[in-house]
Amino acid sequence: MPIYMDRHDVSQGVTAEDVADLHNQDLIVQHKYCCKGLSYWFDEDRSTAFCLVEAPNMDAIIEMHTNSHGDVPNTIIEVDTSIVESFLGRIEDPSKSQKTELNIVNNPGFRILAALKFMDGQYLTSPSKEVLEKIKNIIENYAGRLIDSHKEYLLISFTSTTNALHGILELKEYYVLTTKSTEQIRIGIGAGVPITKNHGFFEETIKTAKRLTDLQHSHIIITTEVKELYESENQNKRLNPDIFKILLFQEEEFLNDVMNYLDSEWQNPNLGVDDFCSHLGLSTSQLYRKTKSLLQTSTNYLIQRHRLNKAIKLLIKKDMNISEIAFETGFNSAAYFTKCFQKEYNILPSNYLKSV
């Protein structure tokens, strides 16, 4: 049967014991609905609870909750247990820590997520096996979990903001000292819960962290929320501005608005500045100023770069020829695609295809 995670927005004042009691009520009646409650997470600070349930469908989960205690979930999504475990560390209830009737779990699903992108000039690169092994050791020393390890980026999950920032800083210092001067590491750090409204598992936080790595900055870029969490854990100790760049809430909102629209429209060959202005409610000059300030580029070049990044991935797959890739990625002609590709990467797409 499929596995689901649901989100409950609980009232302020609800305690870990209250949530444990609700979870226990589910376990008593779950067999009537062919469900199996695997585990749950409760975040008192954010008044949220997340249940992991094996069930035939979402309706069965709603019926189980309705008839056991009446607290119906706000959102339900289907999840992969291996991914849940990689982010949250478990997929079953932890062993009881006390000899009590309830298994009280006061363990929030909230996580700090760091995305790391490795660059050699304009090209994405990957750390060597030796370097990757050292990176894993550093992460583990700070109680982090490596989620993804592939050509595009590394994704790392932490429960503590302090551990996240200190661990990532040590990781960056190690990487800079042990790799060639032409190689760069770009780092973005965000924070969030497993499920937000109508989004996949940690989807919003992952997107934000990855997008921060596109800001072409030598600093470790963090959201304002991460900065505030760090200060609350460290008695208002300030972060070194020479090392960390803090993205303001307005900048983060603009970045995600721009990139969400680009993600949905990039294959449209007629996509241009006017479309972004209309969607975002900005004038041409306002859009240019904001995009240039945050992304160090124009909107038109942002569109082109996004398409070329998609083209690289298609070239690596070798499923399509160059003309097909050009039109698939929103270019009006194969000749213009080739011209843009060569200008960006200093190599013809045909030669790049031979090299991969």
Side-chain angles (χ1 to χ4, degrees):
M1 283 197 297
I3 308 293
Y4 299 92
M5 178 171 277
D6 65 27
R7 169 180 172 144
H8 299 258
D9 295 328
V10 302
S11 304
Q12 286 191 345
V14 171
T15 66
E17 185 172 358
D18 295 330
V19 177
D21 180 54
L22 296 177
H23 179 61
N24 194 54
Q25 291 179 46
D26 287 335
L27 298 182
I28 292 171
V29 303
Q30 61 183 3
H31 65 280
K32 297 179 182 179
Y33 309 95
C34 300
C35 294
K36 181 182 179 182
L38 301 175
S39 194
Y40 73 95
W41 290 261
F42 172 58
D43 190 338
E44 187 170 355
D45 291 339
R46 297 168 187 84
S47 299
T48 55
F50 303 91
C51 302
L52 189 65
V53 184
E54 183 179 30
N57 50 55
M58 295 183 187
D59 289 339
I61 295 173
I62 293 172
E63 286 185 41
M64 177 186 72
H65 285 317
T66 300
N67 291 291
S68 61
H69 47 67
D71 189 1
V72 178
N74 299 85
T75 308
I76 307 174
I77 63 169
E78 188 172 349
V79 295
D80 183 313
T81 53
S82 63
I83 295 175
V84 172
E85 186 170 20
S86 65
F87 276 93
L88 299 178
R90 60 182 171 83
I91 57 171
E92 296 180 346
D93 284 344
S95 301
K96 289 185 179 181
S97 56
Q98 303 177 42
K99 292 182 178 179
T100 59
E101 182 180 348
L102 296 175
N103 189 9
I104 300 172
V105 178
N106 196 353
N107 183 328
F110 190 84
R111 291 293 183 269
I112 314 300
L113 301 184
L116 283 65
K117 181 184 290 184
F118 302 90
M119 305 291 295
D120 189 354
Q122 290 282 69
Y123 293 97
L124 284 169
T125 187
S126 300
S128 66
K129 288 184 179 180
E130 181 182 352
V131 170
L132 184 58
E133 203 55 43
K134 177 63 177 179
I135 286 174
K136 289 178 180 178
N137 291 337
I138 293 172
I139 293 167
E140 289 172 1
N141 288 341
Y142 289 89
R145 304 180 66 87
L146 182 62
I147 309 301
D148 277 324
S149 173
H150 51 72
K151 188 173 178 61
E152 286 188 54
Y153 61 91
L154 298 186
L155 187 63
I156 304 165
S157 171
F158 295 91
T159 55
S160 156
T161 313
T162 301
N163 278 348
L165 299 195
H166 291 180
I168 292 298
L169 178 57
E170 182 178 328
L171 187 158
K172 181 182 179 182
E173 289 173 344
Y174 160 76
Y175 187 79
V176 170
L177 285 172
T178 57
T179 56
K180 296 178 295 184
S181 59
T182 58
E183 293 187 1
Q184 305 171 24
I185 180 171
R186 297 182 187 171
I187 302 172
I189 305 178
V193 294
I195 307 173
T196 54
K197 187 177 181 180
N198 299 325
H199 288 86
F201 191 71
F202 278 111
E203 181 181 343
E204 286 188 5
T205 309
I206 293 170
K207 281 184 176 180
T208 297
K210 287 174 63 179
R211 288 166 179 173
L212 296 183
T213 68
D214 292 329
L215 299 187
Q216 299 181 324
H217 212 289
S218 59
H219 290 64
I220 297 171
I221 307 179
I222 66 175
T223 62
T224 298
E225 182 176 19
V226 171
K227 171 242 184 190
E228 291 175 349
L229 288 167
Y230 180 85
E231 290 178 353
S232 70
E233 290 177 10
N234 293 275
Q235 299 179 328
N236 292 321
K237 179 181 178 182
R238 302 297 182 192
L239 290 164
N240 186 342
D242 294 329
I243 298 172
F244 296 95
K245 175 177 172 55
I246 298 156
L247 201 69
L248 301 177
F249 280 122
Q250 305 96 300
E251 293 174 322
E252 181 184 345
E253 185 178 45
F254 174 76
L255 174 65
N256 281 319
D257 283 346
V258 167
M259 295 309 296
N260 284 339
Y261 186 65
L262 182 57
D263 280 342
S264 67
E265 297 291 331
W266 65 274
Q267 288 177 294
N268 174 6
N270 299 315
L271 180 65
V273 171
D274 289 344
D275 299 296
F276 279 86
C277 290
S278 176
H279 179 75
L280 299 171
L282 298 172
S283 68
T284 304
S285 59
Q286 287 174 321
L287 177 65
Y288 178 81
R289 190 165 56 249
K290 282 174 169 284
T291 307
K292 193 72 174 176
S293 173
L294 186 59
L295 295 160
Q296 291 85 52
T297 188
S298 67
T299 306
N300 280 327
Y301 180 66
L302 181 68
I303 297 167
Q304 180 179 292
R305 189 176 66 192
H306 192 80
R307 288 171 172 165
L308 290 172
N309 286 337
K310 297 289 188 180
I312 285 275
K313 295 174 186 176
L314 292 175
L315 285 166
I316 291 170
K317 286 183 177 180
K318 297 185 177 181
D319 291 338
M320 306 166 70
N321 63 39
I322 290 170
S323 292
E324 289 171 334
I325 290 172
F327 290 107
E328 178 69 18
T329 53
F331 288 88
N332 285 312
S333 74
Y336 183 60
F337 165 69
T338 298
K339 179 182 177 180
C340 294
F341 192 97
Q342 185 174 26
K343 184 178 180 180
E344 180 74 12
Y345 300 115
N346 199 31
I347 187 173
L348 289 168
S350 56
N351 292 336
Y352 181 85
L353 189 59
K354 294 173 185 176
S355 70
V356 295

